[in-house]
Amino acid sequence: MTESVTITDNRTGETIEIPIINGGVDATEWKKLLGNIWFADSGYTQTAATSSAITEIDGDAGILRYRGYPIEQLAEHSTYLEVAYLLVFGELPTHDQFEDWVHDVTYHTFIHENVRKRFLEGFHYDAHPMGMLVSALAALSTFYPEAKQIADPDVRYKQIVRLIAKMPTLAAACHRFSVGMPFVYPDNSLDFCSNFLSMMWKIAEPRYDANPALAHALDVLFILHADHELNCGTATMRMVGSSHADPYSATAAAAAALYGPRHGGANEQVIRMLTEIGSIDNVDDFVKGVKAGKGRLQGFGHRVYKNYDPRATIIKRTADEVFEITGKNPLLDIALKLEEVALSDEYFTSRKLYPNVDFYSGLIYQAMGFPIEMFTVLFAIPRVSGWLAHWKELLEQDQKIARPRQLYVGAEVRDYVGIDGR
Ligand code: ACO
């Protein structure tokens, strides 16, 4: 028997029965009865803006799966590029498919010289790398005007490859500019993460050989950050994509959404918070302050997870592996103490506030030598594959342009008064 809800319009006594399908009720059915009554749902806390077959989250159970595969298995056995393929195309690649995919991504890592020399180098010396990245992504649309042909699957594929491939190059270029170091060209003999680390850290050596364990740890972090269904950034990608803007412009918009401290910018805020706390002796007072409304515990809480974020569990393990090589991040003890205090405090447990992906990721990035300003950029590099998977799915679904409604609460009609009469 199909489950359903029945809605009655008390003004007329009319009712309508709406089936519950895939955990949702179809708003077009609601519209038949209540055409001009809108759902007031700012923040989309109760609105499913699309159907999607990409990522499944069960926030109460702490479950995250990409295309049905548990995140724990992918983090343990897969690679970021394989996961990117899975997200975009829906299946794990065969040997041949994977070889082609890696080849295509590897050979699209270079960026046009004008992007770096004329565009990126035009920024102020202390520009935030995330601001530079957002702008550079938008600028790419002018370098690939054919990207506007979004109906052509071959053109779509090319832009997907380009964007995934160029993200590390752009990210490293933004960093090198901000520290006054010369740009390092991609080395296509290296794997995805080793190449990124080479572009970040290479100085005068002919070839930069990244520590394989650190390159692997970064790869795991990239897998964990690759997609997370309709978060603010991905919803923005779909929103802009629904207007049929080219994928570079849509990706720039998604990256801008990620930049915010309530979203991908939180990993940066976590380190600033831990630094401000300064010592485990100050943790109790800090938590008291949070409970009294003096700011939030950064890296805690999530709109969807009302349980431990499964990515945080994996990240904690990865942190141990990284610290074995780099030495322990001195902020780790404060973070562990903070987690312990918060998880045994009724304020946090009653609100189901647990560490999210950002609570520990910043500690790893910092131990690996990344400046704090790069943390959100590191988040954006792999998230591009998720955004593009959603963009491709959106176009294949032939969705309508996203256009929410509002409840108008402003002034009634009134007559214009000239400036002297006000
Ligand atoms: N510290 C202290 N209290 C918190 C926190 C926090 N980190 N997060 C939520 N709360 C409290 C709120 O004050 C509120 O309490 P109240 O009911 O007494 O008013 C309650 O928990 C619910 O909070 P909301 O703001 O309604 O939760 P929402 O789902 O809108 O917000 C969010 C989710 C933005 C992630 C929030 O938890 C937050 O600001 N966390 C800190 C920033 C952060 O870590 N962001 C990264 C998220 S993961 C990501 O984007 C990759």
Side-chain angles (χ1 to χ4, degrees):
M1 198 187 69
T2 317
E3 293 185 318
S4 65
V5 293
T6 298
I7 297 163
T8 305
D9 183 344
N10 291 329
R11 298 167 304 178
T12 60
E14 279 183 85
T15 67
I16 191 165
E17 187 181 348
I18 311 181
I20 301 172
I21 299 169
N22 296 327
V25 287
D26 191 343
T28 51
E29 291 297 315
W30 161 278
K31 204 169 159 185
K32 286 180 195 161
L33 179 69
L34 298 163
N36 285 320
I37 307 286
W38 313 112
F39 288 102
D41 184 21
S42 77
Y44 304 128
T45 59
Q46 197 64 24
T47 298
T50 188
S51 301
S52 177
I54 299 169
T55 290
E56 184 187 3
I57 302 176
D58 181 336
D60 293 326
I63 285 173
L64 169 62
R65 298 183 189 130
Y66 295 160
R67 302 282 190 184
Y69 296 102
I71 192 68
E72 293 81 3
Q73 290 182 25
L74 293 170
E76 190 169 347
H77 303 295
S78 188
T79 60
Y80 166 63
L81 277 192
E82 189 179 60
V83 164
Y85 184 97
L86 171 70
L87 288 169
V88 172
F89 300 105
E91 296 295 336
L92 287 167
T94 62
H95 269 300
D96 287 350
Q97 287 168 335
F98 190 54
E99 209 172 290
D100 289 348
W101 174 243
V102 172
H103 174 275
D104 289 352
V105 171
T106 306
Y107 285 89
H108 283 89
T109 48
F110 277 64
I111 50 175
H112 194 289
E113 282 290 273
N114 282 356
V115 174
R116 178 178 68 84
K117 284 195 184 150
R118 305 201 174 247
F119 190 74
L120 290 180
E121 292 190 0
F123 278 95
H124 201 244
Y125 72 94
D126 61 353
H128 193 291
M130 196 59 195
M132 293 174 74
L133 180 72
V134 169
S135 317
L137 281 166
L140 282 188
S141 81
T142 66
F143 287 82
Y144 304 110
E146 77 274 20
K148 289 188 191 333
Q149 295 163 34
I150 55 165
D152 182 332
D154 293 336
V155 174
R156 276 188 215 170
Y157 177 80
K158 191 79 171 276
Q159 315 321 312
I160 288 171
V161 164
R162 279 180 173 147
L163 270 160
I164 291 174
K166 292 182 201 314
M167 279 301 283
T169 317
L170 285 175
C174 295
H175 165 70
R176 303 286 291 203
F177 174 77
S178 67
V179 290
M181 295 285 287
F183 177 71
V184 176
Y185 286 94
D187 178 345
N188 289 347
S189 70
L190 298 173
D191 64 67
F192 192 82
C193 285
S194 304
N195 183 34
F196 173 54
L197 292 174
S198 160
M199 290 187 285
M200 282 292 300
W201 310 129
K202 187 171 158 180
I203 300 178
E205 59 276 52
R207 181 188 153 101
Y208 179 88
D209 285 312
N211 182 316
L214 293 184
H216 173 70
L218 194 60
D219 202 58
V220 171
L221 287 167
F222 282 180
I223 291 172
L224 299 183
H225 285 89
D227 193 46
H228 211 235
E229 54 118 302
L230 278 202
N231 51 76
C232 183
T234 308
T236 303
M237 182 81 186
R238 290 189 85 118
M239 168 79 87
V240 178
S242 78
S243 77
H244 288 183
D246 70 82
Y248 300 99
S249 304
T251 302
L258 189 73
Y259 194 2
R262 283 172 157 189
H263 191 12
N267 51 17
E268 197 176 323
Q269 299 308 320
V270 170
I271 296 297
R272 296 194 195 285
M273 171 188 74
L274 295 174
T275 309
E276 185 194 318
I277 296 173
S279 150
I280 53 171
D281 299 336
N282 301 332
V283 166
D284 286 321
D285 281 348
F286 183 80
V287 170
K288 265 189 214 142
V290 168
K291 284 160 57 179
K294 290 189 203 150
R296 291 197 162 189
L297 187 48
Q298 296 301 325
F300 254 69
H302 198 276
R303 171 61 59 77
V304 181
Y305 291 119
K306 300 304 170 196
N307 197 328
Y308 216 95
D309 180 338
R311 300 169 300 174
T313 316
I314 302 167
I315 283 190
K316 237 171 138 176
R317 266 202 316 272
T318 310
D320 290 337
E321 287 161 23
V322 168
F323 296 158
E324 263 181 39
I325 299 160
T326 60
K328 195 172 80 177
N329 187 326
L331 297 178
L332 177 69
D333 289 335
I334 301 175
L336 289 170
K337 175 79 178 164
L338 198 52
E339 180 186 338
E340 185 194 313
V341 171
L343 293 185
S344 55
D345 189 307
E346 199 268 339
Y347 175 92
F348 295 92
T349 50
S350 64
R351 289 171 177 76
K352 299 192 172 162
L353 300 170
Y354 292 87
N356 60 49
V357 68
D358 286 328
F359 194 66
Y360 287 104
S361 63
L363 291 174
I364 304 181
Y365 295 144
Q366 197 179 42
M368 288 172 85
F370 290 103
I372 292 177
E373 291 74 20
M374 280 296 286
F375 291 2
T376 313
V377 175
L378 290 162
F379 192 153
I381 293 173
R383 182 52 62 87
V384 157
S385 61
W387 290 336
L388 291 165
H390 281 270
W391 173 71
K392 180 168 169 284
E393 182 179 67
L394 165 97
L395 296 177
E396 287 166 359
Q397 287 168 333
D398 196 20
Q399 276 200 5
K400 279 178 179 295
I401 188 168
R403 200 326 183 167
R405 293 290 183 148
Q406 65 164 15
L407 305 179
Y408 179 69
V409 294
E412 294 290 325
V413 64
R414 46 187 171 163
D415 288 325
Y416 178 80
V417 178
I419 196 160
D420 294 335
R422 286 173 219 161

